[in-house]
DNA sequence: CGGACAAGCTGA
DNA sequence: CAGCTTGTCCGG
């Protein structure tokens, strides 16, 4: 702090040499620049790195974050004062981490600062609450896994799907404040409840952001919690580190909570502990994996039954005899099919033409409700047309791919019991002993719902999905189902025409290592992550940007494409890729850079 | 992002 | 040449 005996700040625009000046990153899309402002004497104590402020920029009031205090502004500028101090913001270390993430995923700092901030203004902090949960009575087979951790890279603990992570988290909380990142809000509230029951002070973010910022024993939250405040942090824990929900896949920047957690822990000099029943190649590449004994691991995976459908007549449809008899035999079953609605793909029974939207070309689906014949609707542009073929006018249409609604109707008839339906859009579902749902059903239910069996109706859809990590995600589904079904006592059934797939072998023997051993050579051959680092570049401004990348000295990146106006940029590792992407100035216009996306 | 301002197009 | 559109620049 300079100018202890500072004179009163004059209202004049020309700063006095000793006036306190801050540097601010604005919360305005498109303004990726820092601006300097004077700190009014009355609020100087509240202004630190991370503080959220309001400033006047070009005649309008906008939000921003203080990223430096006591800077030397460029000469000859008439500085404005800060309009207002909005309240507490991210810790200074997280402001730095936002800069790292902006580099790592070719994004903007404000995206990450915004994620690291409270949902509503926090003018004052509550009192800290440091009470940890009671230490677990015994850790059993997991005790050895908690041997001293390296501080420079994450460690993955391979715990079976049905294993409870609460004792591990409680044990680590004995060392001081911990940050726990989980893949879903549901998972977070379950864990929070258990830790609170054990007497721990727990802040669940984003709701309890202010308490987390003030200081508490355990901070828990979903993906964005990788950016939650946690004063005195001693360990970062990621639960289900394989889960794709830990990565932002929809919009750029496509950051990943496991990578943020790892870097955050490394910078703080504390361990990053990742727990996963099925560590991905990305996790294996990031750091060592610690295993329990095989017997313990087996106990946490459900018995898997593979129904080989290669010999079945395709006209038999989605339901093998074995599937139907198993569902009849089980007291409570969940069936999973990753498609909503009645019919996801229709063809004309006379001319064979696919039923597509005449306006936008996407496949029309059958309206899920209403009178028969059900009209056809376009999921893309909401065009509606009666059930006729646009080519030949025939009204006879054939179902090529069936959706969840249709399946629940058909199963009800086949099994002779009422069937409920759960999709991501479902608010509440009936208390039936058979449920049919999209993958969302696995996220909505918990082991406490006592569904002892999970059946995947069309598992090949998962195994063959056009995503880089499709196989790993398929194994993750089986792990999730195993947890829901209650481990060894539960049952998981899959219908498939690829019964020898490594995913199924791995789940059958409760050994996820079988899948990684098979996947790594594929990634090596195709030169895909984690062997390389890739980015997909698209948008109107992509072409000049790629010209810039191609012109970089020593060609650090390989450029492939364009394929449908998208280019693929490959480098030997994430740092080389990030350096290259940052070295080229972004041309004006819209440009999307997705680093390490789910699909290419 | 959104305002300011400059350069380009149009029509009477 | 007013009146309007389109493009580029800039903000402390």
């Amino acid at each position: 702090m300079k100018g202890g005996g500072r004179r009163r700040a004059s209202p004049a625009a020309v700063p006095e040499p000793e006036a306190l000046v801050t540097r601010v990153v604005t919360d305005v899309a498109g303004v990726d620049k820092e601006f300097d402002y004077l700190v009014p004497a009355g609020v100087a104590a509240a202004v630190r790195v991370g503080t959220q402020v309001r400033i006047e920029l070009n005649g309008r009031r906008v939000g921003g974050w203080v990223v430096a205090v006591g800077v030397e502004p460029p000469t000859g500028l008439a500085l404005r004062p800060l309009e207002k101090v909005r309240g507490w913001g991210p810790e200074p270390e997280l402001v730095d981490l936002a800069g790292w993430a902006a580099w790592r995923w070719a994004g903007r700092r404000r995206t990450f600062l915004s994620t690291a901030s409270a949902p509503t203004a926090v003018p004052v902090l509550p009192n800290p609450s440091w009470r940890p949960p009671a230490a677990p009575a015994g850790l059993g087979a997991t005790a050895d896994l908690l041997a001293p951790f390296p501080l420079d890279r994450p460690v993955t603990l391979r715990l079976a799907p049905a294993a409870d992570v609460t004792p591990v988290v409680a044990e680590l909380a004995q060392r001081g404040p911990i940050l726990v990142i989980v893949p879903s809000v549901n998972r977070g509230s379950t864990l929070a409840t258990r830790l609170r029951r054990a007497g721990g002070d727990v802040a669940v973010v984003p709701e309890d952001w202010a308490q987390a910022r003030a200081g508490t024993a355990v901070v828990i939250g979903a993906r964005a919690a990788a950016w939650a405040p946690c004063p005195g942090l001693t360990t970062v824990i990621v639960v289900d580190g394989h889960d794709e929900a830990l990565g932002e896949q929809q919009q750029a920047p496509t950051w990943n909570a496991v990578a943020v957690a790892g870097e955050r822990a490394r910078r703080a000099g504390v361990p990053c502990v990742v727990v996963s029943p099925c560590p991905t190649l990305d996790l294996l590449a990031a750091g060592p994996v610690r295993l329990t004994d095989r017997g313990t691991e087996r106990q946490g995976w459900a018995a898997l039954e593979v129904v080989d459908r290669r010999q079945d007549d395709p006209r038999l449809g989605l339901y093998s005899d074995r599937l139907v008899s198993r569902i009849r035999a089980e007291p409570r079953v969940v069936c999973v099919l990753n498609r909503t609605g009645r019919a996801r793909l229709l063809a004309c029974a006379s001319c064979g033409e696919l039923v597509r939207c005449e306006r936008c070309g996407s496949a029309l689906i059958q309206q899920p409700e209403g009178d028969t014949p059900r009209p056809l609707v376009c999921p893309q542009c909401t065009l509606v047309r009666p059930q006729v073929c646009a080519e030949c006018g025939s009204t006879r249409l054939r179902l090529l791919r069936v959706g969840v609604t249709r399946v629940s109707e058909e199963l009800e008839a086949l099994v002779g019991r009422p069937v409920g339906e759960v999709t991501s859009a479902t608010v509440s579902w009936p208390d039936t002993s058979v449920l049919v749902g999209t993958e969302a059903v696995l996220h909505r239910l918990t082991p406490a719902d006592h569904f002892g069996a999970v059946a995947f109706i069309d598992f090949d859809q998962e195994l063959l999905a056009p995503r880089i990590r499709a196989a790993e995600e398929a194994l993750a589904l089986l792990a999730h189902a195993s947890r829901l079904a209650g481990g060894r006592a539960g049952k998981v059934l899959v219908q498939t025409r690829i019964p020898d797939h490594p995913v199924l072998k791995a789940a059958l023997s409760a050994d996820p290592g079988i899948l990684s051993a098979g996947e790594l050579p594929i990634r090596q051959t195709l030169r895909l992550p984690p062997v390389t680092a890739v980015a997909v570049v698209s948008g109107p401004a992509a072409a000049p940007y790629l010209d810039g990348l191609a012109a970089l000295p020593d060609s650090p990146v390989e450029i492939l494409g364009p394929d449908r106006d998208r280019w693929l940029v490959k480098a030997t590792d994430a740092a080389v890729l990030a350096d290259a992407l940052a070295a080229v100035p972004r041309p004006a216009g819209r440009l999307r850079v997705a680093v390490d996306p789910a699909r290419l």
Side-chain angles (χ1 to χ4, degrees):
Chain A
M1 173 82 70
K2 42 168 149 173
R6 175 150 37 98
R7 282 159 302 180
R8 271 203 110 61
S10 102
V14 179
E16 292 178 41
E18 293 163 84
L20 191 60
V21 176
T22 66
R23 196 148 285 165
V24 173
V25 166
T26 66
D27 190 12
V28 183
V31 183
D32 202 33
K33 203 179 154 191
E34 298 170 342
F35 298 97
D36 293 342
Y37 287 84
L38 291 170
V39 180
V43 299
V47 174
R48 63 204 83 206
V49 170
T51 300
Q52 286 191 259
V53 294
R54 305 274 306 167
I55 51 171
E56 195 177 307
L57 181 70
N58 215 5
R60 57 195 178 124
R61 289 182 128 213
V62 298
W65 293 269
V66 170
V67 294
V69 182
V71 295
E72 203 62 55
T75 50
L77 279 178
L79 297 189
R80 296 188 144 276
L82 296 172
E83 287 290 322
K84 190 173 178 234
V85 173
R86 183 166 179 264
W88 289 81
E91 296 155 291
E93 306 86 76
L94 289 180
V95 173
D96 289 343
L97 192 66
W100 171 82
W103 165 81
R104 173 69 177 74
W105 287 286
R108 306 198 190 267
R109 246 194 311 180
R110 39 167 286 276
T111 318
F112 300 107
L113 289 173
S114 172
T115 307
S117 300
T120 54
V122 178
V124 283
L125 293 182
N127 293 322
S129 52
W130 302 112
R131 199 168 36 132
L139 286 162
T142 55
D144 294 344
L145 303 187
L146 303 186
F149 297 104
L151 304 179
D152 58 338
R153 64 222 152 109
V155 170
T156 299
L157 312 183
R158 196 172 97 185
L159 291 183
D164 185 9
V165 295
T166 316
V168 173
V169 172
E171 179 64 32
L172 292 170
Q174 306 303 311
R175 308 173 184 188
I178 57 169
L179 175 65
V180 187
I181 302 154
V182 294
S184 70
V185 176
N186 260 352
R187 203 80 205 277
S189 37
T190 310
L191 187 54
T193 306
R194 289 182 182 168
L195 294 167
R196 280 178 179 145
R197 218 173 273 154
D201 289 323
V202 180
V204 177
V205 287
E207 305 91 279
D208 306 332
W209 192 95
Q211 185 61 59
R213 184 68 176 84
T216 193
V218 183
V219 177
I220 295 187
R223 182 172 67 208
W227 297 96
C230 188
L233 179 70
T234 58
T235 311
V236 181
I237 305 167
V238 184
V239 174
D240 280 348
H242 63 276
D243 199 308
E244 53 186 320
L246 292 169
E248 170 59 75
Q249 306 290 351
Q250 313 302 327
Q251 64 220 20
T254 53
W255 61 280
N256 178 286
V258 184
V260 172
E263 179 65 13
R264 181 172 177 179
R266 196 189 65 76
R267 287 167 171 238
V270 303
C272 175
V273 179
V274 181
V275 180
S276 171
C278 46
T280 54
L281 291 177
D282 294 294
L283 288 174
L284 298 182
V289 177
R290 295 181 183 175
L291 315 179
T292 51
D293 64 282
R294 297 285 302 126
T296 307
E297 189 166 34
R298 267 173 201 283
Q299 284 306 308
W301 284 81
L304 177 68
E305 184 172 343
V306 178
V307 178
D308 180 357
R309 302 212 69 200
R310 281 176 300 182
Q311 306 305 320
D312 284 0
D313 186 332
R315 284 174 302 182
L316 251 176
L318 285 174
Y319 322 98
S320 61
D321 294 343
R322 228 161 104 203
L323 175 81
V324 174
S325 61
R326 283 292 184 278
I327 295 176
R328 283 191 180 139
E330 286 296 330
R332 288 168 71 76
V333 198
V334 178
C335 300
V336 182
L337 181 73
N338 247 352
R339 310 168 199 144
T340 53
R342 284 178 56 85
R344 297 305 303 189
L345 191 60
L346 295 149
C348 173
S350 323
C351 73
E353 186 71 21
L354 280 182
V355 179
R356 300 201 302 165
C357 174
E358 52 261 50
R359 205 186 297 163
C360 69
S362 63
L364 293 179
I365 61 173
Q366 227 170 24
Q367 206 163 66
E369 281 143 31
D371 304 327
T372 44
R374 298 166 200 273
L376 303 170
V377 294
C378 174
Q380 202 76 44
C381 68
T382 65
L383 172 125
V384 181
R385 98 151 107 102
Q387 239 192 57
V388 288
C389 173
E391 286 297 305
C392 69
S394 163
T395 54
R396 277 177 48 239
L397 301 180
R398 195 157 41 89
L399 280 180
L400 291 189
R401 236 179 249 157
V402 167
V404 162
T405 305
R406 176 70 185 233
V407 167
S408 70
E409 291 164 7
E410 292 175 346
L411 271 183
E412 201 158 284
L414 282 169
V415 184
R417 274 150 66 188
V419 175
E421 193 184 314
V422 187
T423 67
S424 57
T426 310
V427 182
S428 65
W429 53 91
D431 183 25
T432 52
S433 63
V434 182
L435 284 179
V436 173
T438 55
E439 202 184 301
V441 73
L442 296 179
H443 299 287
R444 308 293 285 279
L445 300 172
T446 73
D449 291 304
H450 296 104
F451 280 93
V454 179
F456 291 89
I457 307 228
D458 181 7
F459 202 63
D460 295 343
Q461 199 195 351
E462 319 294 346
L463 292 173
L464 303 173
R467 297 187 298 266
I468 305 170
R469 297 172 181 85
E472 293 179 329
E473 286 163 20
L475 183 59
L477 281 177
L478 297 180
H480 199 150
S482 282
R483 194 170 68 84
L484 195 63
R488 198 69 193 156
K491 285 178 195 153
V492 172
L493 185 143
V494 301
Q495 295 195 116
T496 179
R497 291 174 188 275
I498 324 168
D500 299 323
H501 198 288
V503 166
L504 299 171
K505 283 189 185 157
L508 274 170
S509 41
D511 183 2
I514 291 175
L515 176 61
S516 351
E519 279 282 293
L520 188 57
I522 298 173
R523 305 274 181 94
Q524 280 164 339
T525 308
L526 300 178
R527 302 214 314 115
L528 288 173
V531 179
T532 57
V534 298
V536 171
V537 179
S538 57
Y545 185 64
L546 286 147
D547 290 342
L549 282 172
L552 286 176
D554 305 325
S555 6
V557 295
E558 180 188 348
I559 299 169
L560 304 158
D563 176 25
R564 285 170 298 131
D565 297 326
R566 294 142 48 89
W567 282 262
L568 201 60
V569 180
K570 273 193 186 183
T572 49
D573 65 62
V576 172
L577 180 65
D579 279 337
L581 294 173
V584 177
R586 285 180 176 236
R590 285 182 58 82
L591 175 72
R592 185 187 133 97
V593 181
V595 175
D596 197 12
R599 48 181 90 203
L600 300 182

